[in-house]
Structures are given as structure tokens and as C-alpha cells.
Amino acid sequence: MECFPNLRSLDLSHNNIVSVEHYLKWLPKLMYLNMGYNRLKNIPELGIQGKRCLISLVVRNNNLDNLDGVEELDTLEELEASHNCIHDNKWLEVFSQLNHLAMVNLKGNPFSYEAQFRANVIGSMSAKAVKRCVSFLTILS
């Protein structure tokens, strides 16, 4: 990955990947990352500069049971984390620091079937993100 420091979009979906270890740290300008339909147990870790550039993260259909690390993605606008194994509402706290977040998809996770799921997600988002975004209510259904 060191050979591609200007890479902006990376699609590694459908590859049976369990971990990307430290490889994504070499992609400081990455804006779009699709890691859907793999076997990830953790959110992929980016380098310091990469965390400031990423605007779209797709990790749907993996084995994630947490969202640890998402709070470090300062510029994240879109998070597609549907159909994983997230069962605890405490992971919604990561959204409170994401002021640019405009789209979240968490359906198909065990905690998404709770009665107050939508209210909990909206309540956990930063005030700036809620003001910015009008359409996320329909995305969460």
C-alpha cells in the first residue's frame, strides 16, 4: 500500500478479509473505503492523516460487534455498518463527536430491533450533525 499514497477510493469488498492490520495507515488521502462483505471484527484502522480525510466507510455484512474507532474519523459523512453483530447501544456514543455525519445505516444489527432505536441514534448524534442532516431519519429505517 505504500506505493499508493494518493489513492482516494478503495474497494476491498467480498474478499473474506478478517483484518487489514496496519496496511491502511499508508493511505493518507483515502476518502472512500468499502470493506463490506468480509469477516472484519474491528473497524479498519487508518493513519493520522487518513482519519482526517475519510468521508465514506462501508463495513456492512461483517462480524463487527462494536464501532470502536469510528469516533476518530473527523470528516466522516457516511457510515454503512448494517448487518453486523452490534448489540449494545453504548456504541452509539461514537456519533457524538462526528459533526459531518449525514448518513448512518445500522439496520440488521441486533440492537436495531429495539423499540427506541431511532430515538437513541438521533439522541447520540452531535447537534451539528443533526442540524446538517434532514434525510438520515429515513436511512435508519
Side-chain angles (χ1 to χ4, degrees), residues 25-135:
K25 289 184 178 185
W26 298 102
L27 302 173
K29 296 182 181 177
L30 194 63
M31 297 172 69
Y32 305 95
L33 177 60
N34 185 348
M35 296 287 303
Y37 299 93
N38 282 295
R39 295 186 307 149
L40 297 175
K41 293 185 179 185
N42 297 302
I43 296 292
E45 189 175 340
L46 300 171
I48 294 170
Q49 296 206 349
K51 290 176 184 178
R52 294 181 184 143
C53 288
L54 196 71
I55 60 172
S56 178
L57 176 61
V58 177
V59 287
R60 72 174 149 248
N61 291 82
N62 275 286
N63 296 323
L64 300 176
D65 64 1
N66 68 74
L67 294 171
D68 193 28
V70 169
E71 71 281 1
E72 298 175 0
L73 305 174
D74 299 330
T75 56
L76 193 67
E77 295 178 11
E78 301 175 358
L79 175 63
E80 164 53 90
S82 63
H83 303 286
N84 277 287
C85 305
I86 304 167
H87 63 275
D88 195 339
N89 277 334
K90 77 175 186 175
W91 293 111
L92 296 177
E93 294 172 12
V94 300
F95 300 140
S96 67
Q97 300 172 44
L98 302 176
N99 294 325
H100 300 283
L101 197 60
M103 191 283 284
V104 178
N105 189 350
L106 296 169
K107 68 181 177 182
N109 283 287
F111 76 148
S112 70
Y113 299 104
E114 295 176 7
Q116 296 298 314
F117 175 68
R118 284 185 185 200
N120 290 339
V121 173
I122 294 166
S124 68
M125 295 182 80
S126 80
K128 287 182 181 179
V130 172
K131 287 178 184 175
R132 271 184 94 236
C133 184
V134 176
S135 63

